[in-house]
DNA sequence: ACCTGCTGGTTCCTGTCGGAAACCTAGCCT
DNA sequence: AGGCTAGGTTTCCGACAGGAACCAGCAGGT
């Protein structure tokens, strides 16, 4: 009940920890999920995801691209068209993300209820 | 291939999106994982998790507590002892998180390799 | 009696990041 | 010629994360 192995996501020098930090981002999970059903255009994602700015979407997509999870296809048309698609590596993340979203769907109300019952301020140093 | 239902984690007003944003935090997943094997003390988590500050740990735990995922037990001893434990609701998150960490363990090297092959700068608006 | 230390938590200060909106490119349509 | 479209970048600013110091409360050493 007390041992964590060397592959556990602790002690920042293990690869698992890096990958956890990869997806532990405000928008990454949602963007990845948005790409889970096939190639999507930049503007489509903007409309699909509520509240993300173009800057953050571009930044998130670039990071995912650099990490090999997303591929970018720019067509030399006018007006410009750019499609983003999951790579095979990125597609392997869909299952975990689906579990997450399924959990969210199943337990979102319980979380909301707990928040409602416990409306204490959160930030200590703010 | 193009339809997202009303329960999908988009359009910020759905509960799934809120829950996704709950765990889409730099430390939340790691802290939750650290609690997955039973009650843990504050100081233990500090040592276990590399790089987290006391402030962020406290803040993360408070937020998880407010959301009903973690319970806090303070013992009136000297020196003080405080243990954190997953609630039943919080325990339901362990499975998705384990899938995430398993993915990380399996694909961390591939991500690192992609980063190495694609060392372009990421931040567009610095 | 005084000082130190253990442990959890909080406050101050600062650097960085996220978000909104404006600007840019480049070709078609009016 | 000027506006529209669509992706992307830049600027500016507020909020937040992080580090380190400080606080509380009592036990134990000297």
């Amino acid at each position: 009940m007390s041992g964590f192995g060397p592959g556990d996501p602790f002690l920042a020098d293990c690869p698992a920890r890096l990958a956890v930090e990869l997806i532990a981002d405000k928008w990454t999970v949602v963007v990845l999920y948005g790409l889970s059903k096939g190639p999507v255009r930049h503007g489509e994602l903007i409309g699909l995801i509520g509240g993300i700015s173009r800057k953050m979407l571009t930044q998130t997509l670039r990071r995912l691209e650099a990490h090999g999870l997303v591929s970018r296809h720019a067509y030399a048309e006018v007006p410009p068209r750019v499609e983003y698609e999951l790579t095979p590596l990125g597609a392997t993340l869909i299952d975990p993300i689906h579990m997450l979203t399924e959990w969210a769907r199943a337990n979102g109300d319980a979380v909301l209820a707990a928040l409602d019952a416990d409306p204490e301020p959160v930030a200590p140093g703010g």
Side-chain angles (χ1 to χ4, degrees), chain A residues 13-66:
Chain A
D13 54 347
C14 82
R17 176 69 171 277
L18 178 139
V20 166
E21 287 189 1
L22 208 200
I23 67 118
D25 182 85
K26 181 170 180 180
W27 296 113
T28 303
V29 172
V30 189
V31 169
L32 246 16
Y33 190 80
L35 295 172
S36 65
K37 303 192 180 176
V40 185
R41 299 181 61 173
H42 180 98
E44 275 182 283
L45 283 171
I46 290 285
L48 213 50
I49 303 173
I52 195 172
S53 64
R54 279 192 294 252
K55 187 178 92 171
M56 287 318 294
L57 179 58
T58 300
Q59 191 170 313
T60 303
L61 288 167
R62 288 288 145 81
R63 188 158 52 96
L64 292 174
E65 195 189 357

Side-chain angles (χ1 to χ4, degrees), chain A residues 39-124:
Chain A
V40 185
R41 299 181 61 173
H42 180 98
E44 275 182 283
L45 283 171
I46 290 285
L48 213 50
I49 303 173
I52 195 172
S53 64
R54 279 192 294 252
K55 187 178 92 171
M56 287 318 294
L57 179 58
T58 300
Q59 191 170 313
T60 303
L61 288 167
R62 288 288 145 81
R63 188 158 52 96
L64 292 174
E65 195 189 357
H67 285 73
L69 304 177
V70 162
S71 59
R72 179 180 183 274
H73 311 283
Y75 300 90
E77 303 173 356
V78 167
R81 182 163 63 98
V82 180
E83 282 186 347
Y84 293 93
E85 192 178 10
L86 290 179
T87 63
L89 177 59
T92 64
L93 246 179
I94 289 305
D95 272 354
I97 286 183
H98 260 244
M99 277 208 71
L100 237 30
T101 58
E102 282 305 315
W103 179 90
R105 196 171 309 183
N107 298 282
D109 291 340
V111 171
L112 251 14
L115 257 188
D116 191 49
D118 228 359
E120 296 161 46
V122 170

